Amino acid sequence: MSSTSDIDSLIELMARLPGLGPRSARRAVLHLIRKRGQLLTPLAGAMQQVAATARECLNCGNVGTSDICDICDSEKRATGELCIVEDVADLWAMERSQVFRGRYHVLGGTLSALDAVGPEELRIPRLLDRVVTEGITEVILALNATVDGMTTAHYIADQLGERVRITSLAQGVPIGGELDYLDDGTISAAMRARKAL
Amino acid sequence: MSSTSDIDSLIELMARLPGLGPRSARRAVLHLIRKRGQLLTPLAGAMQQVAATARECLNCGNVGTSDICDICDSEKRATGELCIVEDVADLWAMERSQVFRGRYHVLGGTLSALDAVGPEELRIPRLLDRVVTEGITEVILALNATVDGMTTAHYIADQLGERVRITSLAQGVPIGGELDYLDDGTISAAMRARKAL
C-alpha cells in the first residue's frame, strides 16, 4: 500500500464494519478523504458523541442515550402490550412500521444449545419481572421465524403460562411477494392460516 | 425511530458512505455501539487523525500524509517509468499487485464531453511537465477499459507524441476467468492478441 499508516489504519478499522470488506473499506476511505469537510469530520464527531453517550436501556435493552429509553419513558406507550424482539435492529424495524404503540423487550439473542445461550444470558428473567410489575396484558412474540427464534418463543410462552395473553406475528406471503419466489414453508404457513375474503 | 438524535445522526452520516445504504448503516452503527471500546472509539480517533493529516501529493495526486507522497519521494522508484491511472483506488490496486516499481500519475478522472471534463480539469498539463522534468522514458497507460478511459488514453498519447515510449496494459482473459462468463469484447481482444505458446 502506498498510503501512509494513518490512512491504512483507518481502512483496517473500516473493514471490520459489517457489510464492508477490505475493498469497500478502501473505497469508503477515499470517499471520506475527498469529502473531508462534509463527511469525514462530522462523522468523526458523531462517532465520538455516540461513544460517549450511547447506552442500553436498563428496562428493555433498547439503545439510546439515557438509562431509560424514550419508549420506556413515554407514558403514551403504557398500553399493557409488550413486544418481544431478538435485538435492537428488530425493535427499530418494528418502530419504522409504526404499527405498534406499546413497549418493547429486547432479548439480546435467542436461546441456543449449540452456542450455550440459556435464559440467563438473555433478558428473560427481567421479562418475567416486567410482565408482573408493568401490568402487562398481552405479550407479542416478534421473534425471527428461525428454529432458534421459535424455540425461544415456545420457552417464553411456557414460562409466562396463563398469566397473560400471548400472541405472535402472523406468518404468510409478504406484501408484494411472488409465490414463485417463496419457500415451501412460507407457502404452507400461508395456506394453513388462510382467511375468508 | 426510537433511538435519540445522536445515534440517528450517526446513522444518517454512515448511510452516505459508498456501499452502505440506510439498512446497512443501521446495522453498522449497532455493531459500533456494541464494540464501543474495540471499534467505535478507535475509529472516531482514526477519522480525526486522517481528517487532520490526509492530503493529495502535489506531484502525482496520490493520497498520503505529506505534500509529496512516499512513492514520489522514494529514490528507488525513479526508474523512468510513469504509470498513468484514473484515480487513487487504481494506484492502490497497482501497488497491491507489486508488479510496477516506477512512479504514478493520478489523472483524477477521465475526459468526458458529456460531463464537460477537459484536460485542464484532469492532471494532464502536470503530466506533460513531469515527462520532461523527470526524464520519463516510458509512459504506461493503466486506464480503465471503458470508452472514456480509452478516449483519455488516446488523447494523452497524442499529446506526448514521439517524445517517449507509450504502452498500455494488455487486454485479455483474466486469470481464473471462464470464457463462458466473459463478454464478447474481451474474447475478441484476447483472440486478436493471442500469443504463441
Side-chain angles (χ1 to χ4, degrees), chain A residues 43-109:
Chain A
L43 194 53
M47 282 188 180
Q48 263 178 336
Q49 185 67 18
V50 168
T53 61
R55 64 198 65 194
E56 261 184 11
C57 174
L58 296 175
N59 196 40
C60 74
N62 186 15
V63 163
T65 49
S66 48
D67 284 338
I68 299 297
C69 74
D70 296 350
I71 296 178
C72 287
D73 205 36
S74 162
E75 269 307 312
K76 286 191 192 146
R77 311 217 34 163
T79 58
E81 290 170 354
L82 191 64
C83 178
I84 316 297
V85 290
E86 283 180 27
D87 62 33
V88 176
D90 298 334
L91 187 161
W92 290 359
M94 292 289 299
E95 281 295 281
R96 283 198 299 283
S97 78
Q98 301 190 329
V99 71
F100 179 66
R101 301 309 301 161
R103 286 177 180 158
Y104 294 92
H105 193 75
V106 180
L107 293 178

Short mmCIF file of all heavy atoms in Angstrom, two decimals, chain A residues 43-109:
data_model
loop_
_atom_site.label_atom_id
_atom_site.label_comp_id
_atom_site.label_asym_id
_atom_site.label_seq_id
_atom_site.Cartn_x
_atom_site.Cartn_y
_atom_site.Cartn_z
N LEU A 43 -18.47 12.91 10.68
CA LEU A 43 -18.61 11.52 11.06
C LEU A 43 -17.74 11.20 12.27
O LEU A 43 -18.18 10.53 13.21
CB LEU A 43 -18.22 10.64 9.87
CG LEU A 43 -18.59 9.16 9.91
CD1 LEU A 43 -20.05 8.96 10.20
CD2 LEU A 43 -18.23 8.50 8.59
N ALA A 44 -16.50 11.72 12.28
CA ALA A 44 -15.62 11.51 13.43
C ALA A 44 -16.26 12.09 14.68
O ALA A 44 -16.26 11.46 15.75
CB ALA A 44 -14.26 12.15 13.17
N GLY A 45 -16.85 13.27 14.54
CA GLY A 45 -17.50 13.91 15.68
C GLY A 45 -18.71 13.12 16.16
O GLY A 45 -18.88 12.90 17.37
N ALA A 46 -19.54 12.66 15.21
CA ALA A 46 -20.74 11.91 15.58
C ALA A 46 -20.37 10.61 16.28
O ALA A 46 -21.04 10.19 17.23
CB ALA A 46 -21.58 11.62 14.33
N MET A 47 -19.28 9.98 15.82
CA MET A 47 -18.85 8.73 16.47
C MET A 47 -18.40 8.98 17.89
O MET A 47 -18.73 8.22 18.79
CB MET A 47 -17.71 8.09 15.67
CG MET A 47 -18.22 7.39 14.45
SD MET A 47 -16.92 6.46 13.66
CE MET A 47 -17.85 5.76 12.29
N GLN A 48 -17.65 10.05 18.09
CA GLN A 48 -17.19 10.36 19.44
C GLN A 48 -18.37 10.64 20.35
O GLN A 48 -18.40 10.23 21.51
CB GLN A 48 -16.25 11.56 19.42
CG GLN A 48 -14.82 11.10 19.42
CD GLN A 48 -13.85 12.24 19.34
OE1 GLN A 48 -14.20 13.31 18.85
NE2 GLN A 48 -12.65 12.02 19.80
N GLN A 49 -19.35 11.37 19.81
CA GLN A 49 -20.55 11.71 20.57
C GLN A 49 -21.28 10.44 21.00
O GLN A 49 -21.63 10.28 22.17
CB GLN A 49 -21.43 12.59 19.67
CG GLN A 49 -22.66 13.13 20.32
CD GLN A 49 -22.32 14.13 21.41
OE1 GLN A 49 -21.20 14.66 21.47
NE2 GLN A 49 -23.28 14.36 22.30
N VAL A 50 -21.48 9.53 20.02
CA VAL A 50 -22.20 8.28 20.34
C VAL A 50 -21.39 7.42 21.30
O VAL A 50 -21.95 6.82 22.23
CB VAL A 50 -22.54 7.53 19.04
CG1 VAL A 50 -23.01 6.12 19.33
CG2 VAL A 50 -23.60 8.28 18.26
N ALA A 51 -20.06 7.38 21.10
CA ALA A 51 -19.22 6.60 22.01
C ALA A 51 -19.38 7.10 23.44
O ALA A 51 -19.35 6.33 24.39
CB ALA A 51 -17.76 6.67 21.58
N ALA A 52 -19.58 8.42 23.57
CA ALA A 52 -19.68 8.99 24.92
C ALA A 52 -21.07 8.80 25.52
O ALA A 52 -21.20 8.64 26.73
CB ALA A 52 -19.33 10.47 24.87
N THR A 53 -22.12 8.79 24.68
CA THR A 53 -23.47 8.88 25.25
C THR A 53 -24.31 7.61 25.10
O THR A 53 -25.26 7.44 25.85
CB THR A 53 -24.26 10.03 24.61
OG1 THR A 53 -24.36 9.78 23.21
CG2 THR A 53 -23.57 11.36 24.85
N ALA A 54 -23.99 6.73 24.13
CA ALA A 54 -24.91 5.61 23.89
C ALA A 54 -24.90 4.64 25.06
O ALA A 54 -23.86 4.35 25.62
CB ALA A 54 -24.51 4.88 22.60
N ARG A 55 -26.08 4.17 25.43
CA ARG A 55 -26.16 3.13 26.46
C ARG A 55 -27.41 2.30 26.24
O ARG A 55 -28.32 2.69 25.52
CB ARG A 55 -26.16 3.76 27.84
CG ARG A 55 -27.38 4.63 28.12
CD ARG A 55 -27.10 5.54 29.27
NE ARG A 55 -26.03 6.47 28.92
CZ ARG A 55 -25.36 7.22 29.79
NH1 ARG A 55 -25.64 7.14 31.06
NH2 ARG A 55 -24.43 8.06 29.38
N GLU A 56 -27.42 1.13 26.89
CA GLU A 56 -28.58 0.25 26.83
C GLU A 56 -29.62 0.68 27.85
O GLU A 56 -29.27 0.97 29.00
CB GLU A 56 -28.15 -1.17 27.18
CG GLU A 56 -27.91 -2.03 25.98
CD GLU A 56 -27.57 -3.46 26.35
OE1 GLU A 56 -27.71 -3.86 27.52
OE2 GLU A 56 -27.13 -4.18 25.45
N CYS A 57 -30.88 0.67 27.44
CA CYS A 57 -31.96 0.95 28.39
C CYS A 57 -31.96 -0.14 29.45
O CYS A 57 -31.97 -1.33 29.14
CB CYS A 57 -33.29 0.98 27.65
SG CYS A 57 -34.70 1.14 28.74
N LEU A 58 -31.95 0.26 30.72
CA LEU A 58 -31.90 -0.71 31.82
C LEU A 58 -33.18 -1.54 31.88
O LEU A 58 -33.19 -2.65 32.40
CB LEU A 58 -31.72 0.02 33.16
CG LEU A 58 -30.39 0.78 33.30
CD1 LEU A 58 -30.38 1.55 34.61
CD2 LEU A 58 -29.22 -0.19 33.22
N ASN A 59 -34.26 -0.99 31.34
CA ASN A 59 -35.55 -1.66 31.41
C ASN A 59 -35.73 -2.66 30.27
O ASN A 59 -35.98 -3.83 30.50
CB ASN A 59 -36.65 -0.60 31.38
CG ASN A 59 -37.98 -1.17 31.83
OD1 ASN A 59 -38.04 -1.95 32.77
ND2 ASN A 59 -39.05 -0.78 31.14
N CYS A 60 -35.54 -2.20 29.01
CA CYS A 60 -35.92 -3.05 27.88
C CYS A 60 -34.74 -3.50 27.02
O CYS A 60 -34.89 -4.38 26.20
CB CYS A 60 -36.93 -2.31 27.00
SG CYS A 60 -36.22 -0.99 26.01
N GLY A 61 -33.56 -2.87 27.17
CA GLY A 61 -32.41 -3.28 26.36
C GLY A 61 -32.26 -2.52 25.06
O GLY A 61 -31.32 -2.77 24.30
N ASN A 62 -33.18 -1.60 24.76
CA ASN A 62 -33.04 -0.74 23.58
C ASN A 62 -31.80 0.13 23.74
O ASN A 62 -31.29 0.32 24.84
CB ASN A 62 -34.29 0.15 23.48
CG ASN A 62 -34.32 0.99 22.21
OD1 ASN A 62 -33.58 0.74 21.26
ND2 ASN A 62 -35.19 1.99 22.18
N VAL A 63 -31.28 0.63 22.63
CA VAL A 63 -30.11 1.50 22.67
C VAL A 63 -30.57 2.95 22.60
O VAL A 63 -31.40 3.30 21.76
CB VAL A 63 -29.15 1.17 21.51
CG1 VAL A 63 -28.18 2.30 21.27
CG2 VAL A 63 -28.41 -0.11 21.79
N GLY A 64 -30.07 3.76 23.47
CA GLY A 64 -30.44 5.17 23.47
C GLY A 64 -29.36 5.97 24.15
O GLY A 64 -28.23 5.51 24.27
N THR A 65 -29.69 7.17 24.60
CA THR A 65 -28.66 8.00 25.23
C THR A 65 -28.98 8.28 26.70
O THR A 65 -28.36 9.13 27.29
CB THR A 65 -28.49 9.32 24.46
OG1 THR A 65 -29.78 9.88 24.25
CG2 THR A 65 -27.83 9.09 23.13
N SER A 66 -29.96 7.56 27.26
CA SER A 66 -30.18 7.70 28.69
C SER A 66 -30.44 6.32 29.30
O SER A 66 -30.63 5.35 28.57
CB SER A 66 -31.35 8.65 28.97
OG SER A 66 -32.44 8.30 28.16
N ASP A 67 -30.45 6.23 30.64
CA ASP A 67 -30.57 4.93 31.29
C ASP A 67 -31.91 4.27 30.99
O ASP A 67 -32.00 3.05 30.94
CB ASP A 67 -30.40 5.09 32.81
CG ASP A 67 -28.94 5.29 33.18
OD1 ASP A 67 -28.07 4.89 32.37
OD2 ASP A 67 -28.66 5.87 34.24
N ILE A 68 -32.94 5.08 30.83
CA ILE A 68 -34.25 4.56 30.43
C ILE A 68 -34.58 5.17 29.08
O ILE A 68 -34.53 6.39 28.92
CB ILE A 68 -35.33 4.94 31.47
CG1 ILE A 68 -35.01 4.34 32.85
CG2 ILE A 68 -36.72 4.49 31.01
CD1 ILE A 68 -34.99 2.82 32.91
N CYS A 69 -34.89 4.31 28.08
CA CYS A 69 -35.05 4.83 26.71
C CYS A 69 -36.35 5.62 26.56
O CYS A 69 -37.23 5.58 27.42
CB CYS A 69 -34.98 3.69 25.70
SG CYS A 69 -36.45 2.67 25.67
N ASP A 70 -36.46 6.35 25.45
CA ASP A 70 -37.63 7.20 25.21
C ASP A 70 -38.93 6.41 25.23
O ASP A 70 -39.96 6.91 25.66
CB ASP A 70 -37.50 7.89 23.84
CG ASP A 70 -36.31 8.85 23.81
OD1 ASP A 70 -35.73 9.11 24.89
OD2 ASP A 70 -35.96 9.31 22.71
N ILE A 71 -38.88 5.17 24.73
CA ILE A 71 -40.11 4.38 24.64
C ILE A 71 -40.56 3.97 26.04
O ILE A 71 -41.72 4.14 26.40
CB ILE A 71 -39.90 3.14 23.75
CG1 ILE A 71 -39.58 3.59 22.32
CG2 ILE A 71 -41.12 2.24 23.77
CD1 ILE A 71 -39.30 2.46 21.35
N CYS A 72 -39.62 3.44 26.85
CA CYS A 72 -39.98 3.04 28.21
C CYS A 72 -40.42 4.25 29.03
O CYS A 72 -41.23 4.12 29.95
CB CYS A 72 -38.80 2.37 28.90
SG CYS A 72 -38.48 0.72 28.28
N ASP A 73 -39.86 5.40 28.68
CA ASP A 73 -40.10 6.61 29.46
C ASP A 73 -41.42 7.28 29.10
O ASP A 73 -41.93 8.11 29.86
CB ASP A 73 -38.95 7.59 29.20
CG ASP A 73 -38.76 8.56 30.34
OD1 ASP A 73 -38.94 8.14 31.49
OD2 ASP A 73 -38.45 9.74 30.07
N SER A 74 -42.00 6.90 27.96
CA SER A 74 -43.18 7.61 27.47
C SER A 74 -44.45 7.03 28.08
O SER A 74 -44.73 5.83 27.95
CB SER A 74 -43.23 7.50 25.94
OG SER A 74 -44.52 7.80 25.49
N GLU A 75 -45.23 7.90 28.73
CA GLU A 75 -46.49 7.46 29.34
C GLU A 75 -47.47 6.96 28.28
O GLU A 75 -48.25 6.05 28.52
CB GLU A 75 -47.12 8.63 30.12
CG GLU A 75 -46.70 8.69 31.58
CD GLU A 75 -46.91 7.37 32.30
OE1 GLU A 75 -48.02 6.80 32.19
OE2 GLU A 75 -45.96 6.89 32.97
N LYS A 76 -47.37 7.57 27.08
CA LYS A 76 -48.29 7.22 25.98
C LYS A 76 -48.18 5.76 25.57
O LYS A 76 -49.07 5.21 24.96
CB LYS A 76 -47.98 8.08 24.76
CG LYS A 76 -48.44 9.51 24.90
CD LYS A 76 -48.36 10.23 23.57
CE LYS A 76 -48.54 11.72 23.76
NZ LYS A 76 -47.75 12.50 22.82
N ARG A 77 -47.01 5.14 25.86
CA ARG A 77 -46.80 3.79 25.38
C ARG A 77 -47.14 2.73 26.42
O ARG A 77 -46.93 1.55 26.19
CB ARG A 77 -45.36 3.65 24.88
CG ARG A 77 -45.04 4.82 23.96
CD ARG A 77 -44.19 4.57 22.81
NE ARG A 77 -44.29 3.31 22.15
CZ ARG A 77 -43.81 3.10 20.93
NH1 ARG A 77 -43.26 4.09 20.25
NH2 ARG A 77 -43.89 1.93 20.37
N ALA A 78 -47.69 3.16 27.56
CA ALA A 78 -48.06 2.20 28.60
C ALA A 78 -49.41 1.59 28.27
O ALA A 78 -50.42 1.85 28.93
CB ALA A 78 -48.08 2.88 29.96
N THR A 79 -49.45 0.76 27.24
CA THR A 79 -50.73 0.23 26.76
C THR A 79 -51.01 -1.15 27.33
O THR A 79 -52.04 -1.74 27.05
CB THR A 79 -50.70 0.09 25.23
OG1 THR A 79 -49.61 -0.77 24.90
CG2 THR A 79 -50.50 1.43 24.55
N GLY A 80 -50.07 -1.69 28.11
CA GLY A 80 -50.25 -3.06 28.60
C GLY A 80 -49.79 -4.09 27.60
O GLY A 80 -49.83 -5.29 27.87
N GLU A 81 -49.32 -3.64 26.41
CA GLU A 81 -48.81 -4.58 25.40
C GLU A 81 -47.29 -4.54 25.41
O GLU A 81 -46.69 -3.48 25.43
CB GLU A 81 -49.31 -4.21 24.01
CG GLU A 81 -50.80 -4.45 23.84
CD GLU A 81 -51.35 -3.84 22.55
OE1 GLU A 81 -50.59 -3.15 21.85
OE2 GLU A 81 -52.53 -4.06 22.26
N LEU A 82 -46.69 -5.72 25.38
CA LEU A 82 -45.23 -5.81 25.40
C LEU A 82 -44.78 -6.66 24.21
O LEU A 82 -45.21 -7.81 24.06
CB LEU A 82 -44.77 -6.45 26.72
CG LEU A 82 -43.28 -6.38 27.02
CD1 LEU A 82 -42.83 -4.92 27.20
CD2 LEU A 82 -42.94 -7.18 28.27
N CYS A 83 -43.95 -6.07 23.35
CA CYS A 83 -43.49 -6.77 22.15
C CYS A 83 -42.07 -7.29 22.38
O CYS A 83 -41.17 -6.51 22.69
CB CYS A 83 -43.54 -5.80 20.97
SG CYS A 83 -42.96 -6.52 19.45
N ILE A 84 -41.87 -8.59 22.23
CA ILE A 84 -40.56 -9.20 22.49
C ILE A 84 -39.81 -9.33 21.16
O ILE A 84 -40.31 -9.95 20.22
CB ILE A 84 -40.73 -10.62 23.07
CG1 ILE A 84 -41.81 -10.64 24.14
CG2 ILE A 84 -39.41 -11.15 23.59
CD1 ILE A 84 -41.52 -9.81 25.34
N VAL A 85 -38.61 -8.75 21.10
CA VAL A 85 -37.79 -8.86 19.88
C VAL A 85 -36.42 -9.43 20.25
O VAL A 85 -36.01 -9.38 21.40
CB VAL A 85 -37.62 -7.50 19.17
CG1 VAL A 85 -38.91 -7.03 18.55
CG2 VAL A 85 -37.07 -6.45 20.13
N GLU A 86 -35.73 -9.94 19.23
CA GLU A 86 -34.41 -10.53 19.48
C GLU A 86 -33.36 -9.47 19.73
O GLU A 86 -32.58 -9.56 20.65
CB GLU A 86 -33.98 -11.40 18.28
CG GLU A 86 -34.68 -12.72 18.25
CD GLU A 86 -34.25 -13.58 17.07
OE1 GLU A 86 -33.12 -13.43 16.57
OE2 GLU A 86 -35.07 -14.40 16.65
N ASP A 87 -33.32 -8.47 18.85
CA ASP A 87 -32.30 -7.43 19.09
C ASP A 87 -32.80 -6.05 18.69
O ASP A 87 -33.92 -5.89 18.22
CB ASP A 87 -30.95 -7.79 18.44
CG ASP A 87 -31.07 -7.91 16.95
OD1 ASP A 87 -31.88 -7.19 16.35
OD2 ASP A 87 -30.34 -8.74 16.37
N VAL A 88 -31.94 -5.07 18.91
CA VAL A 88 -32.34 -3.67 18.75
C VAL A 88 -32.73 -3.36 17.30
O VAL A 88 -33.64 -2.58 17.05
CB VAL A 88 -31.19 -2.74 19.24
CG1 VAL A 88 -31.54 -1.29 19.00
CG2 VAL A 88 -30.91 -2.98 20.71
N ALA A 89 -32.05 -4.01 16.36
CA ALA A 89 -32.38 -3.78 14.94
C ALA A 89 -33.83 -4.17 14.67
O ALA A 89 -34.53 -3.49 13.91
CB ALA A 89 -31.43 -4.58 14.05
N ASP A 90 -34.29 -5.25 15.31
CA ASP A 90 -35.68 -5.68 15.14
C ASP A 90 -36.64 -4.65 15.74
O ASP A 90 -37.69 -4.35 15.16
CB ASP A 90 -35.90 -7.04 15.80
CG ASP A 90 -35.04 -8.13 15.17
OD1 ASP A 90 -34.69 -7.97 13.98
OD2 ASP A 90 -34.72 -9.11 15.86
N LEU A 91 -36.26 -4.12 16.91
CA LEU A 91 -37.08 -3.08 17.54
C LEU A 91 -37.20 -1.87 16.60
O LEU A 91 -38.30 -1.36 16.37
CB LEU A 91 -36.43 -2.67 18.86
CG LEU A 91 -37.18 -1.72 19.79
CD1 LEU A 91 -36.61 -1.81 21.20
CD2 LEU A 91 -37.14 -0.28 19.34
N TRP A 92 -36.08 -1.45 16.03
CA TRP A 92 -36.12 -0.32 15.10
C TRP A 92 -36.99 -0.62 13.89
O TRP A 92 -37.71 0.25 13.39
CB TRP A 92 -34.69 0.05 14.66
CG TRP A 92 -33.85 0.65 15.75
CD1 TRP A 92 -34.23 0.91 17.03
CD2 TRP A 92 -32.48 1.06 15.65
NE1 TRP A 92 -33.19 1.45 17.74
CE2 TRP A 92 -32.11 1.56 16.93
CE3 TRP A 92 -31.53 1.05 14.63
CZ2 TRP A 92 -30.83 2.05 17.19
CZ3 TRP A 92 -30.26 1.54 14.90
CH2 TRP A 92 -29.91 2.04 16.17
N ALA A 93 -36.92 -1.86 13.39
CA ALA A 93 -37.74 -2.25 12.24
C ALA A 93 -39.22 -2.16 12.60
O ALA A 93 -40.03 -1.63 11.81
CB ALA A 93 -37.38 -3.66 11.78
N MET A 94 -39.60 -2.65 13.79
CA MET A 94 -40.98 -2.55 14.25
C MET A 94 -41.42 -1.09 14.34
O MET A 94 -42.51 -0.72 13.91
CB MET A 94 -41.14 -3.20 15.63
CG MET A 94 -40.98 -4.69 15.68
SD MET A 94 -42.35 -5.60 14.93
CE MET A 94 -43.72 -5.07 15.95
N GLU A 95 -40.55 -0.24 14.89
CA GLU A 95 -40.88 1.17 15.06
C GLU A 95 -41.09 1.86 13.70
O GLU A 95 -41.96 2.71 13.57
CB GLU A 95 -39.77 1.90 15.83
CG GLU A 95 -39.84 1.69 17.32
CD GLU A 95 -41.11 2.29 17.92
OE1 GLU A 95 -41.14 3.51 18.12
OE2 GLU A 95 -42.07 1.53 18.17
N ARG A 96 -40.29 1.48 12.72
CA ARG A 96 -40.45 2.09 11.39
C ARG A 96 -41.83 1.77 10.81
O ARG A 96 -42.39 2.57 10.08
CB ARG A 96 -39.37 1.60 10.43
CG ARG A 96 -38.03 2.27 10.65
CD ARG A 96 -37.12 2.12 9.45
NE ARG A 96 -36.82 0.73 9.14
CZ ARG A 96 -35.94 -0.02 9.79
NH1 ARG A 96 -35.30 0.48 10.83
NH2 ARG A 96 -35.72 -1.26 9.44
N SER A 97 -42.35 0.58 11.14
CA SER A 97 -43.66 0.20 10.58
C SER A 97 -44.78 0.96 11.27
O SER A 97 -45.91 0.98 10.78
CB SER A 97 -43.87 -1.30 10.71
OG SER A 97 -44.24 -1.61 12.04
N GLN A 98 -44.50 1.58 12.43
CA GLN A 98 -45.45 2.43 13.15
C GLN A 98 -46.77 1.75 13.46
O GLN A 98 -47.80 2.40 13.55
CB GLN A 98 -45.74 3.72 12.36
CG GLN A 98 -44.49 4.54 12.10
CD GLN A 98 -44.80 5.90 11.53
OE1 GLN A 98 -45.79 6.06 10.82
NE2 GLN A 98 -43.98 6.88 11.83
N VAL A 99 -46.73 0.41 13.61
CA VAL A 99 -47.99 -0.29 13.81
C VAL A 99 -48.21 -0.60 15.29
O VAL A 99 -49.33 -0.89 15.70
CB VAL A 99 -48.01 -1.58 12.96
CG1 VAL A 99 -47.05 -2.63 13.52
CG2 VAL A 99 -49.41 -2.17 12.85
N PHE A 100 -47.16 -0.52 16.08
CA PHE A 100 -47.24 -0.95 17.48
C PHE A 100 -47.03 0.25 18.39
O PHE A 100 -46.08 1.00 18.23
CB PHE A 100 -46.17 -2.03 17.74
CG PHE A 100 -46.14 -2.51 19.16
CD1 PHE A 100 -47.22 -3.22 19.68
CD2 PHE A 100 -45.04 -2.28 19.96
CE1 PHE A 100 -47.20 -3.68 20.99
CE2 PHE A 100 -45.02 -2.74 21.28
CZ PHE A 100 -46.10 -3.43 21.78
N ARG A 101 -47.95 0.44 19.36
CA ARG A 101 -47.84 1.61 20.24
C ARG A 101 -47.52 1.26 21.69
O ARG A 101 -47.57 2.12 22.55
CB ARG A 101 -49.15 2.44 20.18
CG ARG A 101 -49.53 2.94 18.80
CD ARG A 101 -48.42 3.67 18.09
NE ARG A 101 -47.92 4.84 18.83
CZ ARG A 101 -46.76 5.43 18.64
NH1 ARG A 101 -45.92 4.96 17.74
NH2 ARG A 101 -46.40 6.48 19.34
N GLY A 102 -47.24 -0.04 21.95
CA GLY A 102 -46.87 -0.43 23.31
C GLY A 102 -45.37 -0.32 23.53
O GLY A 102 -44.70 0.45 22.87
N ARG A 103 -44.87 -1.12 24.49
CA ARG A 103 -43.44 -1.10 24.78
C ARG A 103 -42.77 -2.38 24.29
O ARG A 103 -43.45 -3.33 23.90
CB ARG A 103 -43.22 -0.93 26.28
CG ARG A 103 -43.52 0.49 26.72
CD ARG A 103 -43.39 0.66 28.21
NE ARG A 103 -43.69 2.05 28.59
CZ ARG A 103 -44.07 2.41 29.81
NH1 ARG A 103 -44.17 1.51 30.78
NH2 ARG A 103 -44.33 3.68 30.07
N TYR A 104 -41.44 -2.37 24.33
CA TYR A 104 -40.66 -3.49 23.82
C TYR A 104 -39.86 -4.16 24.92
O TYR A 104 -39.61 -3.57 25.98
CB TYR A 104 -39.67 -3.01 22.76
CG TYR A 104 -40.34 -2.50 21.51
CD1 TYR A 104 -40.64 -1.15 21.37
CD2 TYR A 104 -40.66 -3.37 20.47
CE1 TYR A 104 -41.25 -0.68 20.24
CE2 TYR A 104 -41.28 -2.91 19.33
CZ TYR A 104 -41.57 -1.57 19.22
OH TYR A 104 -42.19 -1.10 18.09
N HIS A 105 -39.41 -5.37 24.61
CA HIS A 105 -38.40 -6.01 25.44
C HIS A 105 -37.41 -6.70 24.50
O HIS A 105 -37.79 -7.56 23.70
CB HIS A 105 -39.05 -7.02 26.39
CG HIS A 105 -38.11 -7.48 27.45
ND1 HIS A 105 -37.77 -6.70 28.53
CD2 HIS A 105 -37.40 -8.64 27.59
CE1 HIS A 105 -36.91 -7.35 29.29
NE2 HIS A 105 -36.67 -8.53 28.74
N VAL A 106 -36.14 -6.28 24.57
CA VAL A 106 -35.11 -6.80 23.67
C VAL A 106 -34.40 -7.95 24.39
O VAL A 106 -33.77 -7.74 25.43
CB VAL A 106 -34.08 -5.71 23.31
CG1 VAL A 106 -33.03 -6.26 22.38
CG2 VAL A 106 -34.78 -4.51 22.69
N LEU A 107 -34.48 -9.16 23.81
CA LEU A 107 -33.86 -10.32 24.47
C LEU A 107 -32.34 -10.28 24.39
O LEU A 107 -31.65 -10.74 25.28
CB LEU A 107 -34.36 -11.61 23.82
CG LEU A 107 -35.84 -11.95 24.01
CD1 LEU A 107 -36.17 -13.24 23.26
CD2 LEU A 107 -36.17 -12.09 25.49
N GLY A 108 -31.83 -9.78 23.30
CA GLY A 108 -30.38 -9.80 23.09
C GLY A 108 -29.91 -11.10 22.46
O GLY A 108 -28.75 -11.47 22.61
N GLY A 109 -30.78 -11.78 21.73
CA GLY A 109 -30.40 -13.03 21.07
C GLY A 109 -31.51 -14.05 21.21
O GLY A 109 -32.65 -13.71 21.54
#
